Amino acid sequence: MAASRLWGVPASLALLLLLLLLLPADAVYEDQVGKFDWRQQYVGKLKFASLEASQGSKKLIVATEKNVMAAFNSRTGDILWRHVDKGTPEGVVDTMLIHGQDAITVSNGGRILRSWETNIGGLNWEISMDTGSFQMASLVGLQDSIKYVAVLKKGALSLHYLSNGHQKWVEQLPDSETVQYQLVYSHGTGVVYVLGVSPQSHVSVLAFSVEDGEIAKQSRVEAPWIRSLSQSCTAMGEAVLACADVATASFYTLSLDSSEEMKQVLLESLGLQFMEPFQARLWSSQPNPASVSRAQFLVQLSPTHFALLQHRNGVLSLLRDFPQAGLVTFATTNEKTVAAVLTCKAEAEFLSCHNRSYVTNLYLAETGQRLLDTTISFTLEKSSPRPEQLYIQVFLKKDDSVGYRALVQTADHMLLFFQQPGKVLWSREESLAEVVNLQMVDLPLTGAQAELEGEFGKKADGLLGMVLKRLSSQLILLQAWTAHLWKMFYDARKPRSLIKNEINIDNLARDEFNLQKMIVVVTASGKLFGIESSSGTILWKQYLQDVKPGSSFKLMVQRTTAHFPHPPQCTLLVKDKETGQSSLYVFNPIFGRWSQVAPPVLKRPILQSLLLPIMDQDYAKVLLLIDDEYKVTVFPATRNVLRQLEEMAPSVSFYLADVEQGKLSGRQLRKDLTTEESWEITIPTDVQRIVTVKGKRANEHVHSQGRVMGDRSVLYKSLNPNLLAVATESTDSHHERTFIGIYLIDSVTGRITHSSVQRKAKGPVHIVHSENWVVYQYWNTKARRNEFTVLELYEGTEQYNATAFSSLDRPFLPQVLQQSYIFPSAISAMEVTITERGITSRHLLIGLPSGAILSLPKALLDPRRPEIPTEQTREENLIPYSPDVQIHAERFINYNQTISRMRGIYTAPSGLESTCLVVAYGLDLYQTRVYPSKQFDVLKDDYDYVLISSVLFGLVFATMITKRLAQVKLLNRAWR
């Protein structure tokens, strides 16, 4: 009894606990925080923004298209606070209103009403409202105070208290099935106006009493020309509705308090003209909802033509015409309302402002007069797109003149905050909230390293030339070493806080262990970034002008920095979502410059692209592009490349996946550079659909060909580099009939190596494919939990061919071992670590919805874990089987640096075998290093160099003394 139990615990459980304790754990010390990692937080493209109207204001309140509410520090651009809602339509912010220190938001299509405290980002209150199509929300004032917020939906109007969100009243709107109610307006008179339209028929006006919600007035005005109130109409002044109609080239005005017909004012009488078929837009300014809004309003006549109009005493007049404006907006401070207008500096067309120089001026809204000394001039980079949004922060200076700052958002989602006369206070690259693809590229050699590469010269230089080149390179190395020593001595005399390691694009160089790399990032807006990996500094950026939203991107590294003096080369393949049209962009990933090598023009949509292991004379890998007619485009297409392709054509195979039709097919390259189909597999789309096709990484190295068993035999791995892992999901959503299918298919022959089905399971499916194993995660609908399933493939105890692998010569199917485990959390992303030689143990990096990244040893997901340990399994260090995989906080590699809405994890090897570089991306960017098998090839930071050196010197000194004493002793013995 005593032998089978240890302190009352079963021996198997005790052994499991002991082995779990012996597993390496990832943790970080307090002094290591931020030393090897960094995080950058973003909010996404702005949807609404509010800038406080005071000179000493320190915050900007924003709501974004990423369903984020946040506040920026107006001095630095840093995020003061941020709230990330659901990434689904349930979290969409429909509108945002600002009242004092509170921000009122409506979300989820008008179902959720919230109030935020803007100083600290706290939630004041939140209420749920009845379902309905949200139209508009507005603050409602009464007796010079703002107490309510009105929410207009398709069929009802509700009034809520600003203090607690409680509903004061809700009223159904008459004729809501035929009338589209779209506008709500109040100006402190105790009445809330609701305006609706019956297209090409009439306008309905309802006046509700603020106190009890009773309809005080209801009228109907004929308007056969009208189609919609949104954007083309605005309410202003003493309850006046102004609308623009492009078809009749007229303005129409209507007093909401009277039942008169709409008055028509022709544009010609104002000296204006619409641009057809452009949809005109109108907007007014109401600084205080408890008082009458301004009688002035702005109208957009064409994409670059605006006008400032005024409606006073029933007369419509033109105050100012802006024929070459790009963006306009209203702002108010201390009863002064101004219109800000952004134009091209050269007075050219705004849409074709080639010099990218822009000017913002202020105009007094009441008169249209331009205010002096209110110009902000700025110039964007040549590759930058034009500005898209303009927000201004107006304040009164000590001399009662108007000053302001401007927040500009460009089409590539970059935010720029300016102050007069054009100084950039800060900028933010919000397109990095939508990273779709990235690669890590080694940095180039230093000048000294480059000299060392060519130190011995060429035979053609002759003996004397080679000697001189050797001497000159050694002299350059000596100078570099001397400069390094001087810098160390100079920095040692400074306090550590004053030592600045500034990183710029000119002093980039590869470090000793290749830990510092260039992160090349592609975003959904079509912008490329070069980010230095050790600090997160953006070194270069390029914007692709012709990329449409929703395009897919594939980034490939054709030539690395290993081929000095040839520059590195990256190729970006862009495919339009709607037309399928594809295009190639070639650039230098270190400096961000477009390459002089002209890529081929792609006339057909590209179905597949692959990098071949052959190179041209400049060491650039050959890129093969297959279009929808199965024709091949080669880049670069030199004679040498084409000759090599003809020789190795029979060995070039690739696969195509048609998710919509459920087809997987393989094709083979012919010598004439045409293709022929070699296999095809059809998965019935009425039963299941393809969700993921995952191959192995091309740069993955496998160090061990097999596993040593407890009896000293070897279980050889089945290492098929052509293996594809295909995951499918049932089209039937009923929880009793759902299933997940996994197919392991050889992409050369189409042979199904293994297939399995997880019944009563559904996605999302996350899959990792590496070496001889596949791990995938899914949701078990029967047990209502997340599960892992691991597949490992082995050839057996005898290896079929130890020298070379061929998919065409595989007579035996591999042995497949399978096991499942329970995981206590959902998963956002999953990737496996990768190292230089593949010696280090593999870890799974699992991104959790909480924003944490879990480093899970692959040993915990071993299908050979025994239920009952034996002598042989203990010899192999196999952990006894337990169905649960626990989440331990010490395994989080990002401690408290959470990543919101994580979408992917990228791993890259470094020059140290123990170290793997990791980049996680989602709404945020995070970079760090992981050590799956600890740092076995690096001395620790607290290594005692002084003690070891003292001991070594002491031993050497003792050896010398002992040697001398031994010589004296031998001499004395010889004299006896």
Side-chain angles (χ1 to χ4, degrees):
M1 186 71 178
S4 62
R5 286 182 173 269
L6 181 62
W7 298 312
V9 180
S12 60
L13 182 57
L15 180 61
L16 171 63
L17 294 174
L18 179 61
L19 290 172
L20 287 176
L21 290 173
L22 292 176
L23 283 173
D26 292 296
V28 64
Y29 292 101
E30 186 177 357
D31 61 342
Q32 291 180 323
V33 172
K35 187 176 181 180
F36 303 119
D37 64 338
W38 49 263
R39 180 183 64 168
Q40 296 175 356
Q41 294 183 303
Y42 300 97
V43 298
K45 183 181 181 181
L46 297 193
K47 193 174 184 180
F48 306 102
S50 175
L51 288 69
E52 292 181 342
S54 62
Q55 188 171 7
S57 172
K58 295 183 179 179
K59 62 180 181 294
L60 315 175
I61 312 301
V62 300
T64 72
E65 294 184 356
K66 287 293 183 180
N67 307 348
V68 175
M69 277 288 297
F72 292 147
N73 186 328
S74 61
R75 308 291 177 84
T76 62
D78 297 333
I79 296 177
L80 297 176
W81 55 264
R82 182 182 70 165
H83 290 284
V84 182
D85 209 337
K86 296 178 181 178
T88 59
E90 296 179 3
V92 173
V93 181
D94 299 308
T95 190
M96 182 181 76
L97 306 171
I98 301 296
H99 171 57
Q101 298 299 320
D102 295 336
I104 313 299
T105 60
V106 180
S107 304
N108 193 9
R111 291 180 176 86
I112 298 176
L113 182 65
R114 294 187 178 102
S115 173
W116 306 90
E117 208 288 329
T118 58
N119 287 321
I120 60 174
L123 182 65
N124 293 327
W125 48 262
E126 173 184 300
I127 64 165
S128 297
M129 297 185 291
D130 296 333
T131 58
S133 178
F134 174 77
Q135 300 297 323
M136 185 180 175
S138 174
L139 297 174
V140 176
L142 185 64
Q143 297 176 355
D144 296 330
S145 64
I146 303 172
K147 297 181 179 179
Y148 312 103
V149 57
V151 179
L152 175 65
K153 295 187 178 181
K154 182 179 180 180
L157 175 70
S158 59
L159 199 70
H160 302 265
Y161 290 97
L162 276 179
S163 58
N164 52 24
H166 292 169
Q167 182 176 287
K168 182 177 176 67
W169 51 259
V170 60
E171 294 294 334
Q172 298 299 316
L173 302 176
D175 302 325
S176 59
E177 294 182 357
T178 58
V179 178
Q180 301 172 8
Y181 293 98
Q182 296 173 338
L183 287 181
V184 59
Y185 177 72
S186 71
H187 57 284
T189 59
V191 176
V192 178
Y193 296 95
V194 175
L195 308 175
V197 59
S198 180
Q200 297 182 336
S201 176
H202 64 272
V203 174
S204 296
V205 181
L206 303 175
F208 290 88
S209 171
V210 172
E211 291 299 329
D212 53 12
E214 293 292 329
I215 298 180
K217 184 180 180 182
Q218 181 176 358
S219 62
R220 169 176 168 171
V221 180
E222 296 298 324
W225 49 269
I226 199 165
R227 290 180 174 82
S228 174
L229 294 177
S230 61
Q231 295 188 347
S232 61
C233 295
T234 184
M236 60 183 181
E238 297 286 350
V240 175
L241 177 68
C243 295
D245 180 43
V246 178
T248 60
S250 305
F251 281 108
Y252 292 87
T253 60
L254 171 67
S255 175
L256 302 182
D257 292 328
S258 65
S259 300
E260 300 177 358
E261 294 183 355
M262 301 188 80
K263 297 180 180 179
Q264 182 181 10
V265 179
L266 295 175
L267 280 176
E268 292 181 356
S269 63
L270 300 174
L272 300 176
Q273 184 178 0
F274 282 122
M275 174 183 174
E276 297 186 13
F278 181 77
Q279 178 64 46
R281 294 181 58 198
L282 280 77
W283 57 96
S284 58
S285 174
Q286 187 178 14
N288 185 5
S291 61
V292 177
S293 69
R294 295 288 184 257
Q296 299 79 28
F297 64 96
L298 285 164
V299 59
Q300 185 175 11
L301 306 170
S302 75
T304 59
H305 190 185
F306 296 82
L308 177 63
L309 303 178
Q310 176 178 268
H311 183 272
R312 194 182 296 275
N313 300 324
V315 178
L316 189 65
S317 59
L318 174 66
L319 295 179
R320 189 91 182 198
D321 189 18
F322 307 109
Q324 294 298 333
L327 299 172
V328 296
T329 186
F330 277 124
T332 302
T333 176
N334 289 4
E335 300 302 322
K336 275 190 176 182
T337 300
V338 296
V341 181
L342 188 147
T343 59
C344 184
K345 193 172 185 179
E347 296 186 0
E349 181 74 20
F350 179 79
L351 298 179
S352 59
C353 190
H354 299 293
N355 58 2
R356 294 294 186 266
S357 295
Y358 300 93
V359 177
T360 304
N361 290 297
L362 295 188
Y363 298 83
L364 196 62
E366 294 182 355
T367 63
Q369 179 183 0
R370 180 175 173 271
L371 298 177
L372 299 178
D373 300 326
T374 59
T375 300
I376 289 181
S377 301
F378 62 94
T379 302
L380 301 178
E381 297 179 3
K382 290 185 178 180
S383 63
S384 298
R386 63 178 182 270
E388 250 187 8
Q389 295 287 341
L390 174 66
Y391 308 92
I392 62 171
Q393 180 185 48
V394 186
F395 51 85
L396 290 180
K397 300 179 182 178
K398 293 180 180 180
D399 58 356
D400 206 34
S401 62
V402 177
Y404 73 107
R405 303 183 185 95
L407 178 65
V408 176
Q409 179 174 256
T410 57
D412 60 353
H413 307 175
M414 183 172 71
L415 294 179
L416 296 158
F417 196 58
F418 299 97
Q419 73 174 11
Q420 296 174 269
K423 178 183 178 183
V424 180
L425 292 180
W426 50 264
S427 64
R428 293 180 59 88
E429 293 288 353
E430 290 301 332
S431 62
L432 287 171
E434 295 181 286
V435 175
V436 293
N437 207 332
L438 66 85
Q439 290 282 346
M440 274 191 172
V441 181
D442 295 344
L443 293 181
L445 301 172
T446 63
Q449 290 171 337
E451 285 292 331
L452 193 62
E453 287 286 331
E455 180 176 314
F456 296 97
K458 302 177 181 178
K459 291 183 178 180
D461 296 337
L463 180 61
L464 181 60
M466 294 172 65
V467 171
L468 293 176
K469 191 172 183 64
R470 176 72 182 269
L471 293 176
S472 64
S473 63
Q474 292 295 324
L475 182 61
I476 292 174
L477 289 174
L478 180 61
Q479 291 175 347
W481 181 68
T482 306
H484 176 68
L485 288 181
W486 174 250
K487 185 177 183 302
M488 289 178 58
F489 174 74
Y490 185 72
D491 289 344
R493 300 170 60 187
K494 291 182 179 180
R496 184 172 296 182
S497 59
L498 297 179
I499 300 176
K500 295 182 180 180
N501 293 322
E502 294 185 358
I503 296 174
N504 56 62
I505 203 166
D506 297 322
N507 62 9
L508 278 180
R510 190 181 308 173
D511 60 296
E512 187 178 2
F513 298 121
N514 201 13
L515 296 169
Q516 185 181 359
K517 294 177 182 282
M518 179 68 76
I519 306 175
V520 182
V521 175
V522 185
T523 65
S525 64
K527 196 166 187 179
L528 305 177
F529 292 91
I531 303 177
E532 197 276 323
S533 65
S534 64
S535 64
T537 305
I538 297 175
L539 298 178
W540 60 263
K541 49 194 172 184
Q542 290 283 358
Y543 179 68
L544 307 179
Q545 302 282 350
D546 302 328
V547 174
K548 297 180 180 179
S551 299
S552 60
F553 303 85
K554 185 175 181 180
L555 182 62
M556 295 158 284
V557 181
Q558 277 193 285
R559 182 170 55 226
T560 66
T561 55
H563 305 287
F564 180 83
H566 299 287
Q569 179 176 306
C570 276
T571 301
L572 178 65
L573 175 63
V574 183
K575 185 176 181 181
D576 187 81
K577 184 179 180 180
E578 296 179 357
T579 64
Q581 192 61 40
S582 304
S583 54
L584 282 179
Y585 298 88
V586 184
F587 60 96
N588 184 322
I590 302 300
F591 300 103
R593 302 180 188 134
W594 297 117
S595 176
Q596 296 180 355
V597 179
V601 177
L602 305 177
K603 299 180 180 179
R604 304 290 305 176
I606 299 299
L607 299 181
Q608 182 64 286
S609 61
L610 61 152
L611 282 175
L612 298 181
I614 63 175
M615 297 182 180
D616 67 353
Q617 63 273 16
D618 295 330
Y619 303 99
K621 288 185 178 179
V622 175
L623 178 62
L624 220 59
L625 303 168
I626 298 90
D627 60 25
D628 58 348
E629 295 180 348
Y630 308 118
K631 294 181 180 179
V632 175
T633 302
V634 182
F635 174 65
T638 62
R639 291 184 179 179
N640 182 33
V641 167
L642 296 177
R643 180 182 55 79
Q644 293 184 68
L645 268 180
E646 289 179 4
E647 294 176 356
M648 65 176 300
S651 63
V652 177
S653 299
F654 56 91
Y655 74 93
L656 300 173
D658 190 339
V659 177
E660 295 181 358
Q661 298 184 7
K663 288 185 179 180
L664 287 168
S665 60
R667 302 189 73 86
Q668 191 172 6
L669 189 66
R670 294 174 176 169
K671 288 192 175 183
D672 58 353
L673 299 186
T674 59
T675 63
E676 60 178 349
E677 187 174 274
S678 54
W679 58 269
E680 181 179 284
I681 296 175
T682 302
I683 296 175
T685 55
D686 56 338
V687 178
Q688 55 187 331
R689 56 187 177 87
I690 300 172
V691 293
T692 305
V693 179
K694 190 83 170 181
K696 296 180 182 179
R697 293 180 61 167
N699 61 340
E700 182 181 78
H701 293 276
V702 181
H703 180 260
S704 176
Q705 299 292 321
R707 296 182 60 170
V708 179
M709 311 285 285
D711 58 358
R712 295 299 185 266
S713 62
V714 177
L715 185 61
Y716 289 101
K717 300 176 182 178
S718 177
L719 301 172
N720 185 350
N722 307 314
L723 195 66
L724 297 176
V726 181
T728 64
E729 186 176 359
S730 63
T731 55
D732 193 337
S733 59
H734 192 275
H735 68 277
E736 291 290 336
R737 296 187 292 271
T738 58
F739 64 87
I740 295 294
I742 294 292
Y743 301 89
L744 302 183
I745 303 174
D746 191 304
S747 61
V748 174
T749 62
R751 185 182 190 183
I752 299 179
T753 302
H754 174 75
S755 64
S756 63
V757 174
Q758 304 288 336
R759 302 195 180 277
K760 297 182 181 180
K762 68 176 185 177
V765 180
H766 297 276
I767 190 167
V768 168
H769 189 189
S770 177
E771 290 193 8
N772 67 319
W773 51 267
V774 176
V775 173
Y776 57 98
Q777 180 265 349
Y778 52 89
W779 173 257
N780 188 323
T781 58
K782 180 180 180 180
R784 300 185 62 82
R785 66 193 183 196
N786 292 282
E787 292 183 358
F788 277 121
T789 294
V790 57
L791 304 173
E792 286 194 0
L793 284 70
Y794 293 95
E795 291 189 18
T797 55
E798 294 184 3
Q799 199 169 13
Y800 177 71
N801 189 339
T803 57
F805 180 88
S806 174
S807 293
L808 303 175
D809 184 21
R810 291 282 119 178
F812 307 110
L813 287 175
Q815 303 173 12
V816 181
L817 304 181
Q818 180 173 337
Q819 188 60 272
S820 295
Y821 297 89
I822 302 168
F823 193 67
S825 172
I827 286 179
S828 301
M830 186 165 61
E831 190 53 85
V832 65
T833 58
I834 184 171
T835 54
E836 184 91 9
R837 298 297 176 188
I839 301 172
T840 305
S841 301
R842 302 279 185 182
H843 276 211
L844 288 176
L845 301 178
I846 302 171
L848 305 181
S850 63
I853 303 176
L854 178 69
S855 181
L856 187 69
K858 170 60 177 61
L860 290 177
L861 300 179
D862 194 331
R864 298 183 63 247
R865 286 176 59 179
E867 294 184 8
I868 301 175
T870 62
E871 201 63 40
Q872 289 189 0
T873 59
R874 294 191 188 97
E875 185 74 18
E876 291 185 58
N877 289 328
L878 290 177
I879 305 169
Y881 176 73
S882 174
D884 295 310
V885 176
Q886 300 296 328
I887 295 178
H888 299 286
E890 63 269 14
R891 290 203 182 114
F892 291 155
I893 64 173
N894 57 335
Y895 45 104
N896 64 348
Q897 303 292 306
T898 55
I899 300 100
S900 296
R901 293 213 199 119
M902 196 184 312
R903 294 191 309 275
I905 300 174
Y906 178 84
T907 57
S910 68
L912 292 173
E913 174 57 31
S914 64
T915 306
C916 174
L917 304 179
V918 179
V919 179
Y921 56 92
L923 196 60
D924 306 328
L925 269 180
Y926 179 74
Q927 191 273 339
T928 188
R929 307 172 188 174
V930 293
Y931 317 100
S933 299
K934 300 294 186 70
Q935 288 184 283
F936 56 83
D937 51 1
V938 176
L939 294 176
K940 294 182 179 179
D941 291 340
D942 58 352
Y943 185 78
D944 199 337
Y945 293 92
V946 176
L947 178 61
I948 298 299
S949 301
S950 302
V951 171
L952 287 176
F953 279 119
L955 289 174
V956 171
F957 186 68
T959 302
M960 293 173 62
I961 294 177
T962 305
K963 181 180 179 181
R964 178 59 182 167
L965 292 175
Q967 289 176 347
V968 172
K969 185 176 180 181
L970 289 174
L971 183 61
N972 291 335
R973 183 182 296 175
W975 279 101
R976 288 179 183 175

